[in-house]
Amino acid sequence: MYAVADVVEYFGWREVIAIFVDDDCGRNGISILGDALAKKRSKISHKAAFSPGASNNTINELLVGVNLMESRVYVVHVNPDSGLTIFSVAKSLGMMTAGYVWIATDWLPSHLDSLESSGLDTMNLVQGVVALRHHTPDTDLKKSFMSRWNKLKHEGSSGFNSYALYAYDSIWLAARALEVFFNEGGKISFSDDPKLKDTNRSTLHLTSLRIFDGGQQYLQTILKMNFTGVSGQIQFDQDKYLVHPAYEILNIGGTGSLRIGYWSNSTGLTVIAPEILYKKPFSTNTTAQLYSVIWPGETTAIPRGWVFPNNGTPLRIGVPYRVSYQDFVAKDKSPPGVRGYCIDVFEAAVNLLPYAVPRNYVLYGNGKRNPEYSNLVFEVAQNNFDAAVGDVAITTNSTRIVDFTQPYMESGLVVVVPVKELKTSPWAFLKPFTYQMWLVTGAFFLFVGAVVWILEHRMNQEFRGPPRKQLMTIFWFSFSTMFFSHRENTVSTLGRLVLIIWLFVVLIINSSYTASLTSILTVQQLTSRIEGIDSLIASNDPIGVQDGSFAWKYLVDELNIAESRLVKLKTMENYIEALQYGPKRGGVAAIVDELPYIELFMSNTKCKFRTVGQEFTKSGWGFAFQRDSPLAVDLSTAILQLSENGDLQKIRNKWLSHNECSIQMNEVDSDRLSLTSFWGLFLICGVACCLSLTVFFCRILCQYRRFIPEAVEGDVEEIGPPSRRSRPSIRSTSFKNLMDFVDTKEEKIKHLLKRKGSDSKHDEASKHDEASPSSDGQAHSPS
């Protein structure tokens, strides 16, 4: 029976119908089967018993009755004399076709094996049946025995089944045990039993029975035996059971049977012989395996194992009769009597099932207020409804009494509060930056302008002129870069480098300023100090809860909020009024509800309200069915298919396609940009400016040092401004002369250096010419 339970679990069936003979063997076997199935979360949905020797009419009535039931998995545990009659009647009733599952215990293989030859008529009755047979290993000893038996067998004698092998080994067990018994000094002796007495008119003569005196010793000897027989290893455990018991799983088809796997207590279902697995290290993680099965109707598809009962009764589906949020589910005048997002999802999932689901929708509630959803789920558990379809939240308490499908919509409790728009200030344009940011930005505009002027002054005519003009140029150039509208061109390499880096910094600052200003001008502000569920719990303000929602019980039982603080709200208009009035005018400080309702509420109210904090519960909406309902599993698969092919999103867009609220709720100060966010940019720009100035002044000093040794008074007058040409020689190291040199145009400095280089070469040539005659005179004087 545990092997049968594993087969039922392997193929995913939850309910079976047991057909058995109403005697001790049948009742005890089915009782154990019920216990084994319970451990697999399955059950016997109906027990169909018949008395030994029942007529064909009785069996026919029994099978007609079970055929009207939901389950299509039948476990047949009967005697061989009536077993084939069951399959004969089932075949005549059309119950050996596709969709039916028949599992027979070891009586069927034993009966078929004992027949000398199974006729076609007999085999046609059991096509597609799965049966269990005692497993006996194919050892050399067994093959030799079967060979000898076939030679001795006479025509017309019965075949050989597993029980015959066990009987043969039992004789050898008794003989081997007697041998050991005698070797240990045991003797055969009998004595009378005083408890046995003949009763009046009894023909049994019980007093003639004797007791074997060495019975207990002989029994212990038998239990200690260990040898290999034709049926396998003969050894007993402490509970007097054979060690390593095993079954073969057979699939009857054609003119014989096909072995599709094995089963044992320790290995479970497997396609490897148990005696091979016993030699390997024991593992509890072995995955159940069977070869494919050819089921009744000659199909390899695994039967679903159940159908809707053939009694013409459709499913009674409870639907909440909502007052608010009727986009999800509501009453409808046209068939099927209800409409909404949840109904469309359920209908789409049912249409994906490979079978028809007759159903009637029954509204639950009075239509004046939302029904209690916990009560609706309880009605399903009490068999008043077959299922509940609607916006039913999957909660812990509900899952204890019913089965839910895969969630078709995510949900969770959130807190919603009112908001208001801030009034625009005339000085709002200053708010994007902190005052430190404004000061540093302005200082860098002037600093960069001054740096560019220094780098361009010696070679760019646009950066020269009277002091007043040059000062205006610095200011104009600095602040015009804010809009990338500066008209002055930079010609020096260092100036262009500084300007490129600065324009990048300006670009980032402009973009950030624009984004921050936009955020500030469109910001909304909370009208309540509630920032989430924690602050809501800490306060003493009233809380709004949707009528009929599980949120009421959750807030009271799980969060310990007093019921006196909770206010039931029936409609969306009640939501708006309660939030707008606030706790001071008889309203509520916040509303706690499920996320799908709040999203629809916020969209319909044009985002005048918003959620605060995070979802403090995570759940979803599903369809509720009675416990162990196979329809819940099939619909879960269908819902996943809807999600994967995009149909679930299309249904949502049809009913819940509304504008999403994009609300910025941060305080204005949090939107202001501080120096912390930009000091890296300013650092890069400052370093670039300082390096450029360093290179520039190093170059100036090098030119100045080259110019000093060859400078003359006239040269000083040439390089200085007209007003300063009467100054002392450039050989003077005064700071003023250096400033005059810096102020001189680059082109003129290069020209002077080039000219002085030519003069130096001319002077050296003149000195060489003067020295040559003197040398000649000295050479000719002696003559």
Side-chain angles (χ1 to χ4, degrees):
M1 291 305 173
Y2 279 87
V4 172
D6 279 353
V7 171
V8 171
E9 181 191 33
Y10 177 83
F11 290 107
W13 301 313
R14 292 294 185 87
E15 295 183 359
V16 302
I17 294 177
I19 302 174
F20 62 99
V21 178
D22 192 10
D23 57 12
D24 290 340
C25 179
R27 288 190 296 268
N28 292 339
I30 297 305
S31 176
I32 296 174
L33 176 62
D35 295 338
L37 290 173
K39 295 180 180 179
K40 309 293 183 182
R41 286 202 64 186
S42 301
K43 66 179 181 179
I44 299 175
S45 60
H46 178 70
K47 295 179 181 180
F50 61 91
S51 59
S55 64
N56 288 3
N57 290 334
T58 302
I59 294 177
N60 184 80
E61 293 176 1
L62 182 143
L63 292 183
V64 168
V66 299
N67 195 35
L68 295 175
M69 298 179 182
E70 181 178 288
S71 178
R72 282 292 182 265
V73 181
Y74 305 115
V75 177
V76 183
H77 182 56
V78 297
N79 299 325
D81 57 352
S82 57
L84 292 180
T85 304
I86 291 177
F87 289 111
S88 176
V89 174
K91 187 174 180 65
S92 65
L93 294 175
M95 298 175 65
M96 298 300 295
T97 56
Y100 289 86
V101 178
W102 293 89
I103 302 175
T105 54
D106 61 348
W107 68 267
L108 180 58
S110 298
H111 178 66
L112 296 178
D113 291 342
S114 64
L115 298 177
E116 182 179 5
S117 62
S118 301
L120 290 178
D121 293 339
T122 300
M123 297 305 298
N124 286 336
L125 296 178
V126 291
Q127 294 293 305
V129 175
V130 174
L132 285 80
R133 179 174 63 190
H134 290 287
H135 171 61
T136 56
D138 293 329
T139 60
D140 294 337
L141 181 61
K142 176 183 175 181
K143 294 177 181 178
S144 175
F145 174 79
M146 296 299 296
S147 177
R148 289 186 288 119
W149 172 258
N150 291 330
K151 293 179 181 178
L152 296 174
K153 187 173 65 171
H154 299 285
E155 184 177 354
S157 61
S158 62
F160 223 74
N161 58 32
S162 59
Y163 285 102
L165 296 178
Y166 282 127
Y168 182 81
D169 282 341
S170 298
I171 299 299
W172 273 104
L173 173 64
R176 289 172 181 268
L178 277 175
E179 182 181 10
V180 175
F181 176 77
F182 290 137
N183 292 336
E184 293 178 350
K187 295 180 180 181
I188 301 296
S189 63
F190 299 89
S191 60
D192 295 331
D193 187 357
K195 298 179 181 179
L196 296 176
K197 297 181 181 180
D198 289 331
T199 60
N200 294 332
R201 300 178 182 179
S202 174
T203 59
L204 294 178
H205 303 290
L206 296 178
T207 55
S208 61
L209 293 176
R210 299 291 184 267
I211 296 176
F212 178 34
D213 295 330
Q216 287 299 321
Q217 180 183 354
Y218 183 52
L219 175 60
Q220 296 302 319
T221 303
I222 290 177
L223 296 177
K224 294 178 181 178
M225 295 304 297
N226 183 6
F227 69 97
T228 301
V230 293
S231 63
Q233 184 180 5
I234 305 299
Q235 185 182 1
F236 301 94
D237 57 18
Q238 295 179 352
D239 296 326
K240 303 179 183 179
Y241 292 117
L242 276 176
V243 298
H244 304 320
Y247 279 96
E248 295 177 358
I249 313 298
L250 304 179
N251 180 205
I252 301 175
T255 58
S257 60
L258 178 65
R259 186 169 54 204
I260 60 174
Y262 302 89
W263 180 92
S264 71
N265 286 334
S266 56
T267 62
L269 295 175
T270 176
V271 294
I272 304 175
E275 59 269 17
I276 298 177
L277 293 177
Y278 291 144
K279 298 176 182 179
K280 299 180 179 180
F282 180 74
S283 175
T284 57
N285 297 325
T286 304
T287 303
Q289 288 181 325
L290 289 177
Y291 292 118
S292 60
V293 180
I294 300 178
W295 303 99
E298 298 183 357
T299 176
T300 57
I302 300 175
R304 190 170 66 250
W306 66 276
V307 294
F308 287 98
N310 294 331
N311 53 15
T313 303
L315 291 180
R316 297 184 73 254
I317 300 177
V319 178
Y321 195 175
R322 292 196 58 88
V323 176
S324 59
Y325 299 109
Q326 295 187 350
D327 290 337
F328 294 106
V329 61
K331 181 181 178 180
D332 192 19
K333 296 181 180 179
S334 60
V338 288
R339 61 177 176 83
Y341 168 73
C342 303
I343 302 301
D344 280 6
V345 172
F346 181 75
E347 289 288 334
V350 169
N351 291 335
L352 292 178
L353 298 180
Y355 50 87
V357 181
R359 56 198 178 276
N360 287 333
Y361 293 104
V362 180
L363 291 172
Y364 180 76
N366 55 17
K368 298 180 180 179
R369 53 179 295 183
N370 295 333
E372 290 289 340
Y373 280 66
S374 58
N375 294 340
L376 174 60
V377 172
F378 184 74
E379 292 291 332
V380 175
Q382 293 297 311
N383 200 26
N384 294 326
F385 290 117
D386 296 306
V389 172
D391 46 344
V392 182
I394 303 174
T395 62
T396 303
N397 292 333
S398 298
T399 55
R400 293 170 179 165
I401 58 176
V402 297
D403 283 348
F404 281 94
T405 62
Q406 173 80 13
Y408 61 88
M409 172 173 275
E410 294 183 355
S411 180
L413 294 178
V414 293
V415 179
V416 62
V417 296
V419 295
K420 68 177 181 180
E421 294 185 0
L422 292 177
K423 295 181 179 179
T424 303
S425 170
W427 303 100
F429 69 92
L430 294 176
K431 293 181 179 179
F433 290 161
T434 60
Y435 74 91
Q436 297 94 336
M437 183 66 182
W438 280 116
L439 293 177
V440 173
T441 302
F444 257 84
F445 270 108
L446 297 176
F447 175 64
V448 172
V451 170
V452 173
W453 177 83
I454 293 173
L455 299 177
E456 295 289 323
H457 177 71
R458 298 188 69 207
M459 58 182 65
N460 192 339
Q461 186 63 37
E462 294 182 356
F463 287 86
R464 301 184 66 84
R468 183 178 179 181
K469 177 184 176 183
Q470 296 185 44
L471 185 63
M472 292 300 299
T473 299
I474 292 175
F475 277 92
W476 165 254
F477 181 83
S478 299
F479 292 100
S480 62
T481 56
M482 180 186 302
F483 311 102
F484 306 99
S485 61
H486 51 283
R487 65 171 182 268
E488 295 81 7
N489 295 320
T490 53
V491 297
S492 68
T493 302
L494 295 176
R496 289 176 177 177
L497 174 64
V498 171
L499 184 60
I500 288 175
I501 296 176
W502 175 244
L503 290 179
F504 174 74
V505 175
V506 170
L507 175 65
I508 299 300
I509 292 176
N510 278 345
S511 302
S512 302
Y513 176 85
T514 303
S516 180
L517 182 61
T518 303
S519 175
I520 291 175
L521 293 178
T522 59
V523 74
Q524 291 179 317
Q525 189 177 31
L526 293 173
T527 60
S528 172
R529 65 180 184 277
I530 304 300
E531 299 178 353
I533 187 62
D534 293 332
S535 58
L536 184 61
I537 295 174
S539 69
N540 291 320
D541 297 331
I543 303 171
V545 180
Q546 183 183 167
D547 188 19
S549 172
F550 78 97
W552 179 289
K553 190 172 183 180
Y554 180 85
L555 294 176
V556 174
D557 296 342
E558 301 296 333
L559 302 184
N560 298 320
I561 296 178
E563 291 191 22
S564 58
R565 293 180 56 191
L566 303 182
V567 179
K568 287 186 177 181
L569 305 175
K570 297 182 179 180
T571 64
M572 190 178 298
E573 290 73 17
N574 295 149
Y575 276 44
I576 298 174
E577 293 175 358
L579 288 174
Q580 288 179 343
Y581 289 161
K584 295 182 179 179
R585 294 191 295 166
V588 297
I591 292 176
V592 174
D593 206 348
E594 296 179 72
L595 184 59
Y597 301 127
I598 295 304
E599 288 179 343
L600 187 61
F601 169 69
M602 292 168 58
S603 178
N604 291 343
T605 55
K606 299 181 180 180
C607 304
K608 293 182 180 179
F609 310 91
R610 68 141 296 168
T611 60
V612 291
Q614 302 294 327
E615 293 181 59
F616 54 93
T617 64
K618 289 288 185 181
S619 61
W621 290 354
F623 305 128
F625 289 86
Q626 295 176 12
R627 294 300 299 268
D628 300 324
S629 171
L631 190 58
V633 178
D634 291 352
L635 277 178
S636 294
T637 304
I639 290 172
L640 289 176
Q641 187 175 347
L642 288 175
S643 177
E644 292 173 356
N645 61 23
D647 289 343
L648 191 61
Q649 185 60 42
K650 292 178 181 178
I651 298 174
R652 179 165 184 163
N653 293 339
K654 172 187 174 182
W655 289 97
L656 309 176
S657 180
H658 302 286
N659 296 327
E660 295 184 359
C661 291
S662 177
I663 311 175
Q664 300 181 21
M665 294 299 302
N666 297 329
E667 296 294 333
V668 175
D669 290 341
S670 63
D671 286 328
R672 302 184 70 180
L673 300 174
S674 64
L675 186 61
T676 306
S677 304
F678 297 94
W679 71 268
L681 287 174
F682 288 128
L683 178 63
I684 294 173
C685 184
V687 170
C689 292
C690 293
L691 289 177
S692 299
L693 289 176
T694 302
V695 173
F696 174 78
F697 284 116
C698 288
R699 185 167 173 270
I700 292 294
L701 292 176
C702 290
Q703 289 181 348
Y704 187 59
R705 291 181 61 186
R706 288 175 55 196
F707 192 77
I708 289 177
E710 306 295 337
V712 294
E713 182 69 23
D715 296 335
V716 175
E717 293 177 357
E718 289 182 10
I719 65 173
S723 61
R724 297 182 181 179
R725 289 182 180 174
S726 60
R727 297 288 179 92
S729 172
I730 198 170
R731 295 179 182 272
S732 172
T733 58
S734 67
F735 180 74
K736 292 183 179 181
N737 291 339
L738 177 61
M739 291 297 100
D740 291 339
F741 181 79
V742 172
D743 189 56
T744 304
K745 292 190 67 173
E746 179 80 10
E747 182 180 356
K748 188 172 183 179
I749 293 296
K750 290 181 178 180
H751 175 71
L752 292 176
L753 290 175
K754 184 176 180 181
R755 193 185 71 178
K756 294 187 182 301
S758 300
D759 292 344
S760 298
K761 293 179 180 180
H762 179 72
D763 292 342
E764 291 178 358
S766 298
K767 292 179 180 179
H768 179 72
D769 293 339
E770 291 176 359
S772 296
S774 175
S775 301
D776 294 340
Q778 291 178 358
H780 293 85
S781 81
S783 65

